[in-house]
Amino acid sequence: MVRSPENLGGVALLGSGSALPSQTLTNDQLGQRVDTNDSWIRSRTGIAGRRVIGSEESLTELSCRAGRSAMEMAQWDPDSIDLILLATSTPDDLFGSAPKVQAQLGAKNAVAFDLTAACSGFLFALVTASQFLRTGAMQKVLVIGADQLTRWVDWDDRRSCVLFGDGAGAVALESTSSEDDCLIGFQLKSDGSRGDCLNLPHLNQFLPLVDGISHEAGGFSPIQMNGQEVYKFAVREVPEILEKLLKVHEVLPDSLDWLLLHQANQRILDSVAERFSIPNEKVLSNLANYGNTSAATIPLMLDEAVKDGRIKSGDLIASSGFGAGLSWGAALFKWRGPV
Ligand code: ACO
């Protein structure tokens, strides 16, 4: 039943899941391809290795594995899912990969679509899902963040190719009473006027079609990135948006259990944590193992920390995603876990 605006419900995070490709590419191995080395990459980014999707794997398959694992934790029957939101900028099919995921998960009653917001994609999808749940229009939503940026990396550009890896993460969200609400608040931002520092642009190649008419050929250029501009953007905007979020909800940084940022660069994580005097033990990081997996980083990290027992039911988490667009956002939520 759809609720009235005065009577909105809450959102509970009941399950998490993740999936990774089997191939690992170390910094030393990358050094065989471009003029780089382990010590430069580790000291400038914190990354030691990343996963690369192989010929037997796909974004759809990783998304299904992550989604299935979140569904199992939440103890959901696939038939009961209302919506599958796949946050990705690198679908297997430009028309959308979410319906394939829906079919392979056997979620025959779910509507499924992709949402594109680069590295902010998971956070934007989480907030989008929460709107359906709060109104009561939907009861169960599976949000998946998955990307395979290794497909679009320029492997001869040492300034960007060292950063990215592939992966998928998922959360199972259920509508609940307003008293049990786990999503305390969010802030989302976009600024296309600054988008030129990080792009995966269309090729812009025209071919003759018939006399006097040409058509554009399909295809994209590899990722183009001005790393320093993206870095400056992240260390300026992420603390600002987090500060605003904490202030609106009267939450002191001290009372946070975890800081869960998009895993782009360890120096960005450290800089944001320092701004709020959050100790290292509360800053979640798995960058060393997986690099920047774009829309997957936040749910991948969440799942890892839930499964190894660091994140416990009731823990308060401040999260922020940021990236191409430019786009960025923050959310304050409590992990519930299976009931
Ligand atoms: N190995 C060795 N040397 C390198 C490498 C490398 N992989 N890359 C760059 N260098 C060299 C440069 O050529 C330069 O040398 P020079 O001074 O002789 O020209 C020197 O190192 C310094 O280069 P900078 O680009 O200034 O290095 P910086 O300290 O800024 O680090 C980095 C680069 C890691 C890319 C950093 O700017 C960064 O992390 N930026 C943020 C990028 C990011 O997070 N992007 C993803 C956003 S999320 C999304 O939406 C996809």
Side-chain angles (χ1 to χ4, degrees):
M1 193 184 69
V2 178
R3 298 189 181 101
S4 64
E6 312 76 56
N7 187 27
L8 293 177
V11 178
L13 286 94
L14 298 186
S16 67
S18 59
L20 289 156
S22 55
Q23 299 188 115
T24 297
L25 177 67
T26 65
N27 293 342
D28 285 334
Q29 286 170 310
L30 252 182
Q32 297 165 20
R33 170 76 185 227
V34 280
D35 182 14
T36 190
N37 56 75
D38 182 56
S39 135
W40 192 96
I41 301 172
R42 274 182 204 257
S43 62
R44 298 287 179 119
T45 70
I47 299 166
R50 71 284 294 144
R51 299 295 182 94
V52 178
I53 282 188
S55 57
E56 304 298 309
E57 297 161 326
S58 70
L59 185 99
T60 303
E61 183 257 329
L62 284 188
S63 301
C64 287
R65 270 203 277 146
R68 199 171 289 117
S69 165
M71 278 162 52
E72 278 166 13
M73 191 187 289
Q75 296 160 28
W76 282 358
D77 181 339
D79 287 357
S80 67
I81 301 176
D82 299 304
L83 168 66
I84 297 174
L85 263 180
L86 174 61
T88 186
S89 306
T90 52
D92 291 329
D93 185 328
L94 267 187
F95 287 151
S97 289
K100 290 241 165 49
V101 173
Q102 178 251 0
Q104 288 182 24
L105 290 179
K108 58 176 187 292
N109 297 313
V111 61
F113 59 92
D114 290 15
L115 184 152
T116 303
C119 299
S120 309
F122 174 77
L123 211 82
F124 282 26
L126 178 77
V127 172
T128 303
S130 75
Q131 307 309 304
F132 291 105
L133 294 165
R134 284 201 193 294
T135 57
M138 292 181 177
Q139 305 302 312
K140 290 189 171 84
V141 182
L142 188 62
V143 175
I144 303 170
D147 265 309
Q148 51 173 334
L149 288 183
T150 63
R151 183 197 269 173
W152 296 110
V153 158
D154 177 353
W155 288 105
D156 296 314
D157 176 11
R158 68 176 184 171
R159 287 171 186 262
S160 60
C161 75
V162 300
L163 300 175
F164 301 109
D166 304 330
V171 290
L173 303 175
E174 201 157 309
S175 110
T176 184
S177 67
S178 55
E179 295 78 41
D180 291 331
D181 191 20
C182 295
L183 182 58
I184 294 152
F186 64 85
Q187 300 273 330
L188 305 178
K189 300 273 278 182
S190 303
D191 182 1
S193 71
R194 288 190 276 161
D196 284 350
C197 58
L198 184 52
N199 300 103
L200 205 171
H202 199 252
L203 275 175
N204 198 23
Q205 199 177 59
F206 282 81
L207 303 173
L209 178 62
V210 291
D211 274 354
I213 296 183
S214 61
H215 78 95
E216 199 171 359
F220 292 85
S221 302
I223 292 170
Q224 298 164 4
M225 184 184 76
N226 179 332
Q228 289 185 3
E229 283 305 311
V230 177
Y231 188 90
K232 281 190 265 174
F233 147 71
V235 296
R236 189 172 51 236
E237 301 293 359
V238 174
E240 196 176 307
I241 202 164
L242 275 171
E243 189 169 2
K244 192 168 171 196
L245 182 67
L246 295 178
K247 205 168 160 192
V248 167
H249 297 282
E250 299 179 351
V251 170
L252 293 172
D254 266 5
S255 53
L256 295 173
D257 292 298
W258 302 104
L259 183 64
L260 172 48
L261 302 181
H262 167 51
Q263 310 278 299
N265 183 323
Q266 189 62 44
R267 288 192 295 150
I268 296 175
L269 269 57
D270 294 343
S271 160
V272 176
E274 200 180 317
R275 283 279 293 273
F276 295 99
S277 303
I278 296 175
N280 283 343
E281 314 84 77
K282 290 186 171 185
V283 182
L284 293 166
S285 174
N286 59 9
L287 255 169
N289 298 331
Y290 310 126
N292 178 348
T293 56
S294 191
T297 65
I298 293 174
L300 187 59
M301 183 66 251
L302 178 80
D303 185 50
E304 190 176 307
V306 163
K307 298 230 166 97
D308 69 19
R310 272 179 289 171
I311 293 182
K312 298 187 172 51
S313 185
D315 278 2
L316 180 60
I317 301 167
S319 184
S320 177
F322 51 92
L326 295 174
S327 62
W328 65 107
L332 196 55
F333 61 86
K334 283 186 177 166
W335 170 252
R336 165 87 68 82
V339 280

